[in-house]
Amino acid sequence: MVSLLLKSCPQTAASASLESLLEMLNLGLTSYESESAFNKSTRSLQVFEETGISHSEFLHRQHAEEGGGPLGGPLKYPNSCILWLHADQSVLDERLDKRVDDMLAAGLLDELRDFHRRYNQKKIEENSQDYQHGIFQSIGFKEFHEYLITEGKCTPETSNQLLKKGIEALKQVTKRYARKQNRWVKNRFLSRPGPGVPPIYGLEVSDTLKWEESVLEPALEIVQSFIQGRKPDAAPVKMPYSNTENKRSSHMCDLCGRIIIGDREWAAHMKSKSHLHQMKKRRRLDSDAFTTIGSQSISPDRDKELEEKGSVGQNDEDLKSSV
Ligand SMILES: [Zn+2]
């Protein structure tokens, strides 16, 4: 919409800032939200202009390409290799905790207080704070909410306790995020090996004293071999998976009314929340049918749910449960 406006009146667009344009449109969005909405709509219009198909259709086709999957299209650079640094979970957790402590020592609290005073305090007073959107949802701010709003208004002991609570929450969420990143590598690359998926070379970074021999040297050897078209000494990481597994097989789930492609995805679907929910519902309906003669076998909100989830393909829940 914004982009159409820009095109239809270039004169206005040239002189008006994004903010005043949005004021004109009176969308009632914050500048961060409006910028994000602006970027999204511009990209969607650009895709339509270049390809003649909708942005969602474009993404759908991209994911269906060779080497693409539910987590994205094929790689931008076809001849790639990936170096994956990984450490023992306990070592990594310890490092992440230390990183938070280092951030605190480097002045994180002053930065948070300053940000809170300038951008957050007023919103809280107006009761319009929303930690689900924009910059406010980023890791490292919302965890200190209680501490920031009560600082100076409660006893030093309480304040100190709230600070400790915030620090602990920040450490937890940082560690959770690191696990999520590792899961992403496993899901995107390791669980779906194929022609469009680059080799992943694991480098062990648990012991930093052995950095040169266990990280730097093997990394250089891998990259050099790769550039020269040789096979590196190291073997790429492989996830154990069944050879008999068929990635293109299609399965129809009558219960959910969905077609699921691939054995692995099918196995994940059977365990997914959405499927189990449908199963529960079906059981409930079946038991109702015993008591109500001539009852309808389809619940009224079933179609609505399917619409919301998208009927074909894989959803987030399936992915999560395949981790
Ligand atoms: Zn199902």
PDB file of all heavy atoms in Angstrom, residues 252-258 260 266 269-270 272 274-276 278-279 318, ligand 1:
ATOM      1  N   MET A 252      -1.412 -39.306   3.079  1.00  0.00           N
ATOM      2  CA  MET A 252      -2.616 -38.527   3.312  1.00  0.00           C
ATOM      3  C   MET A 252      -3.079 -38.762   4.746  1.00  0.00           C
ATOM      4  O   MET A 252      -3.271 -39.905   5.158  1.00  0.00           O
ATOM      5  CB  MET A 252      -3.700 -38.996   2.317  1.00  0.00           C
ATOM      6  CG  MET A 252      -5.047 -38.353   2.530  1.00  0.00           C
ATOM      7  SD  MET A 252      -5.060 -36.641   1.984  1.00  0.00           S
ATOM      8  CE  MET A 252      -6.509 -36.024   2.836  1.00  0.00           C
ATOM      9  N   CYS A 253      -3.245 -37.677   5.479  1.00  0.00           N
ATOM     10  CA  CYS A 253      -3.791 -37.820   6.815  1.00  0.00           C
ATOM     11  C   CYS A 253      -5.291 -37.487   6.751  1.00  0.00           C
ATOM     12  O   CYS A 253      -5.646 -36.323   6.591  1.00  0.00           O
ATOM     13  CB  CYS A 253      -3.080 -36.918   7.819  1.00  0.00           C
ATOM     14  SG  CYS A 253      -3.760 -37.137   9.467  1.00  0.00           S
ATOM     15  N   ASP A 254      -6.107 -38.515   6.808  1.00  0.00           N
ATOM     16  CA  ASP A 254      -7.554 -38.313   6.716  1.00  0.00           C
ATOM     17  C   ASP A 254      -8.078 -37.476   7.872  1.00  0.00           C
ATOM     18  O   ASP A 254      -8.976 -36.668   7.725  1.00  0.00           O
ATOM     19  CB  ASP A 254      -8.287 -39.664   6.721  1.00  0.00           C
ATOM     20  CG  ASP A 254      -8.030 -40.433   5.444  1.00  0.00           C
ATOM     21  OD1 ASP A 254      -7.849 -39.772   4.401  1.00  0.00           O
ATOM     22  OD2 ASP A 254      -7.989 -41.678   5.495  1.00  0.00           O
ATOM     23  N   LEU A 255      -7.449 -37.700   8.992  1.00  0.00           N
ATOM     24  CA  LEU A 255      -7.885 -37.028  10.211  1.00  0.00           C
ATOM     25  C   LEU A 255      -7.729 -35.514  10.098  1.00  0.00           C
ATOM     26  O   LEU A 255      -8.611 -34.747  10.460  1.00  0.00           O
ATOM     27  CB  LEU A 255      -7.026 -37.553  11.373  1.00  0.00           C
ATOM     28  CG  LEU A 255      -7.658 -37.625  12.740  1.00  0.00           C
ATOM     29  CD1 LEU A 255      -8.945 -38.414  12.696  1.00  0.00           C
ATOM     30  CD2 LEU A 255      -6.678 -38.285  13.708  1.00  0.00           C
ATOM     31  N   CYS A 256      -6.588 -35.075   9.577  1.00  0.00           N
ATOM     32  CA  CYS A 256      -6.306 -33.637   9.481  1.00  0.00           C
ATOM     33  C   CYS A 256      -6.645 -33.084   8.103  1.00  0.00           C
ATOM     34  O   CYS A 256      -6.615 -31.877   7.900  1.00  0.00           O
ATOM     35  CB  CYS A 256      -4.833 -33.364   9.765  1.00  0.00           C
ATOM     36  SG  CYS A 256      -4.285 -34.005  11.336  1.00  0.00           S
ATOM     37  N   GLY A 257      -6.900 -33.975   7.147  1.00  0.00           N
ATOM     38  CA  GLY A 257      -7.170 -33.513   5.793  1.00  0.00           C
ATOM     39  C   GLY A 257      -5.949 -32.885   5.149  1.00  0.00           C
ATOM     40  O   GLY A 257      -6.042 -31.897   4.434  1.00  0.00           O
ATOM     41  N   ARG A 258      -4.791 -33.476   5.402  1.00  0.00           N
ATOM     42  CA  ARG A 258      -3.561 -32.900   4.843  1.00  0.00           C
ATOM     43  C   ARG A 258      -2.736 -33.952   4.128  1.00  0.00           C
ATOM     44  O   ARG A 258      -2.775 -35.132   4.487  1.00  0.00           O
ATOM     45  CB  ARG A 258      -2.698 -32.321   5.968  1.00  0.00           C
ATOM     46  CG  ARG A 258      -3.274 -31.102   6.611  1.00  0.00           C
ATOM     47  CD  ARG A 258      -2.365 -30.654   7.738  1.00  0.00           C
ATOM     48  NE  ARG A 258      -1.000 -30.444   7.286  1.00  0.00           N
ATOM     49  CZ  ARG A 258       0.034 -30.307   8.108  1.00  0.00           C
ATOM     50  NH1 ARG A 258      -0.136 -30.387   9.390  1.00  0.00           N
ATOM     51  NH2 ARG A 258       1.238 -30.093   7.628  1.00  0.00           N
ATOM     52  N   ILE A 260       1.049 -35.074   3.445  1.00  0.00           N
ATOM     53  CA  ILE A 260       2.384 -34.873   4.015  1.00  0.00           C
ATOM     54  C   ILE A 260       3.404 -35.552   3.108  1.00  0.00           C
ATOM     55  O   ILE A 260       3.244 -36.732   2.777  1.00  0.00           O
ATOM     56  CB  ILE A 260       2.489 -35.491   5.434  1.00  0.00           C
ATOM     57  CG1 ILE A 260       1.273 -35.139   6.287  1.00  0.00           C
ATOM     58  CG2 ILE A 260       3.804 -35.129   6.101  1.00  0.00           C
ATOM     59  CD1 ILE A 260       1.227 -33.759   6.842  1.00  0.00           C
ATOM     60  N   TRP A 266       6.226 -37.386   7.753  1.00  0.00           N
ATOM     61  CA  TRP A 266       5.023 -38.136   8.142  1.00  0.00           C
ATOM     62  C   TRP A 266       5.141 -38.603   9.596  1.00  0.00           C
ATOM     63  O   TRP A 266       4.222 -38.445  10.395  1.00  0.00           O
ATOM     64  CB  TRP A 266       4.833 -39.318   7.186  1.00  0.00           C
ATOM     65  CG  TRP A 266       3.700 -40.235   7.566  1.00  0.00           C
ATOM     66  CD1 TRP A 266       3.801 -41.533   7.946  1.00  0.00           C
ATOM     67  CD2 TRP A 266       2.306 -39.915   7.603  1.00  0.00           C
ATOM     68  NE1 TRP A 266       2.558 -42.046   8.212  1.00  0.00           N
ATOM     69  CE2 TRP A 266       1.613 -41.075   8.012  1.00  0.00           C
ATOM     70  CE3 TRP A 266       1.571 -38.760   7.328  1.00  0.00           C
ATOM     71  CZ2 TRP A 266       0.236 -41.122   8.167  1.00  0.00           C
ATOM     72  CZ3 TRP A 266       0.193 -38.792   7.480  1.00  0.00           C
ATOM     73  CH2 TRP A 266      -0.458 -39.962   7.889  1.00  0.00           C
ATOM     74  N   HIS A 269       4.648 -35.747  11.714  1.00  0.00           N
ATOM     75  CA  HIS A 269       3.252 -35.314  11.745  1.00  0.00           C
ATOM     76  C   HIS A 269       2.434 -36.156  12.725  1.00  0.00           C
ATOM     77  O   HIS A 269       1.600 -35.630  13.459  1.00  0.00           O
ATOM     78  CB  HIS A 269       2.631 -35.379  10.355  1.00  0.00           C
ATOM     79  CG  HIS A 269       1.163 -35.073  10.366  1.00  0.00           C
ATOM     80  ND1 HIS A 269       0.691 -33.786  10.514  1.00  0.00           N
ATOM     81  CD2 HIS A 269       0.069 -35.887  10.343  1.00  0.00           C
ATOM     82  CE1 HIS A 269      -0.631 -33.827  10.564  1.00  0.00           C
ATOM     83  NE2 HIS A 269      -1.033 -35.082  10.459  1.00  0.00           N
ATOM     84  N   MET A 270       2.697 -37.463  12.715  1.00  0.00           N
ATOM     85  CA  MET A 270       1.935 -38.351  13.596  1.00  0.00           C
ATOM     86  C   MET A 270       2.118 -37.981  15.064  1.00  0.00           C
ATOM     87  O   MET A 270       1.261 -38.275  15.892  1.00  0.00           O
ATOM     88  CB  MET A 270       2.348 -39.822  13.399  1.00  0.00           C
ATOM     89  CG  MET A 270       2.121 -40.347  12.001  1.00  0.00           C
ATOM     90  SD  MET A 270       0.427 -40.107  11.437  1.00  0.00           S
ATOM     91  CE  MET A 270      -0.363 -41.494  12.227  1.00  0.00           C
ATOM     92  N   SER A 272       2.795 -34.772  15.955  1.00  0.00           N
ATOM     93  CA  SER A 272       2.622 -33.324  16.109  1.00  0.00           C
ATOM     94  C   SER A 272       1.390 -32.969  16.945  1.00  0.00           C
ATOM     95  O   SER A 272       0.432 -33.747  17.035  1.00  0.00           O
ATOM     96  CB  SER A 272       2.503 -32.663  14.737  1.00  0.00           C
ATOM     97  OG  SER A 272       1.252 -32.983  14.164  1.00  0.00           O
ATOM     98  N   SER A 274      -0.837 -30.707  16.308  1.00  0.00           N
ATOM     99  CA  SER A 274      -2.054 -30.510  15.524  1.00  0.00           C
ATOM    100  C   SER A 274      -2.732 -31.856  15.248  1.00  0.00           C
ATOM    101  O   SER A 274      -3.951 -31.977  15.336  1.00  0.00           O
ATOM    102  CB  SER A 274      -1.751 -29.780  14.219  1.00  0.00           C
ATOM    103  OG  SER A 274      -0.795 -30.484  13.483  1.00  0.00           O
ATOM    104  N   HIS A 275      -1.927 -32.878  14.938  1.00  0.00           N
ATOM    105  CA  HIS A 275      -2.500 -34.193  14.657  1.00  0.00           C
ATOM    106  C   HIS A 275      -3.113 -34.806  15.926  1.00  0.00           C
ATOM    107  O   HIS A 275      -4.224 -35.328  15.892  1.00  0.00           O
ATOM    108  CB  HIS A 275      -1.427 -35.114  14.078  1.00  0.00           C
ATOM    109  CG  HIS A 275      -1.935 -36.483  13.774  1.00  0.00           C
ATOM    110  ND1 HIS A 275      -2.646 -36.769  12.622  1.00  0.00           N
ATOM    111  CD2 HIS A 275      -1.868 -37.634  14.481  1.00  0.00           C
ATOM    112  CE1 HIS A 275      -2.989 -38.049  12.643  1.00  0.00           C
ATOM    113  NE2 HIS A 275      -2.530 -38.606  13.764  1.00  0.00           N
ATOM    114  N   LEU A 276      -2.362 -34.701  17.021  1.00  0.00           N
ATOM    115  CA  LEU A 276      -2.873 -35.280  18.272  1.00  0.00           C
ATOM    116  C   LEU A 276      -4.159 -34.585  18.709  1.00  0.00           C
ATOM    117  O   LEU A 276      -5.070 -35.218  19.248  1.00  0.00           O
ATOM    118  CB  LEU A 276      -1.807 -35.187  19.368  1.00  0.00           C
ATOM    119  CG  LEU A 276      -0.547 -36.039  19.094  1.00  0.00           C
ATOM    120  CD1 LEU A 276       0.502 -35.802  20.159  1.00  0.00           C
ATOM    121  CD2 LEU A 276      -0.887 -37.518  18.985  1.00  0.00           C
ATOM    122  N   GLN A 278      -6.382 -33.322  16.653  1.00  0.00           N
ATOM    123  CA  GLN A 278      -7.459 -33.853  15.802  1.00  0.00           C
ATOM    124  C   GLN A 278      -7.886 -35.237  16.273  1.00  0.00           C
ATOM    125  O   GLN A 278      -9.070 -35.591  16.215  1.00  0.00           O
ATOM    126  CB  GLN A 278      -7.004 -33.941  14.336  1.00  0.00           C
ATOM    127  CG  GLN A 278      -6.788 -32.607  13.665  1.00  0.00           C
ATOM    128  CD  GLN A 278      -8.046 -31.775  13.574  1.00  0.00           C
ATOM    129  OE1 GLN A 278      -9.164 -32.281  13.690  1.00  0.00           O
ATOM    130  NE2 GLN A 278      -7.887 -30.479  13.381  1.00  0.00           N
ATOM    131  N   MET A 279      -6.888 -36.023  16.737  1.00  0.00           N
ATOM    132  CA  MET A 279      -7.174 -37.367  17.180  1.00  0.00           C
ATOM    133  C   MET A 279      -8.077 -37.347  18.411  1.00  0.00           C
ATOM    134  O   MET A 279      -9.057 -38.086  18.503  1.00  0.00           O
ATOM    135  CB  MET A 279      -5.865 -38.076  17.510  1.00  0.00           C
ATOM    136  CG  MET A 279      -5.886 -39.528  17.199  1.00  0.00           C
ATOM    137  SD  MET A 279      -4.252 -40.103  16.796  1.00  0.00           S
ATOM    138  CE  MET A 279      -3.631 -40.420  18.419  1.00  0.00           C
ATOM    139  N   ASP A 318       5.076 -29.463  13.281  1.00  0.00           N
ATOM    140  CA  ASP A 318       5.672 -30.696  12.782  1.00  0.00           C
ATOM    141  C   ASP A 318       7.180 -30.613  12.869  1.00  0.00           C
ATOM    142  O   ASP A 318       7.852 -31.567  13.236  1.00  0.00           O
ATOM    143  CB  ASP A 318       5.268 -30.922  11.336  1.00  0.00           C
ATOM    144  CG  ASP A 318       3.780 -31.187  11.218  1.00  0.00           C
ATOM    145  OD1 ASP A 318       3.181 -31.566  12.235  1.00  0.00           O
ATOM    146  OD2 ASP A 318       3.243 -31.014  10.139  1.00  0.00           O
TER     147      ASP A 318
HETATM  148 ZN    ZN B   1      -2.949 -35.699  10.951  1.00  0.00          ZN
END
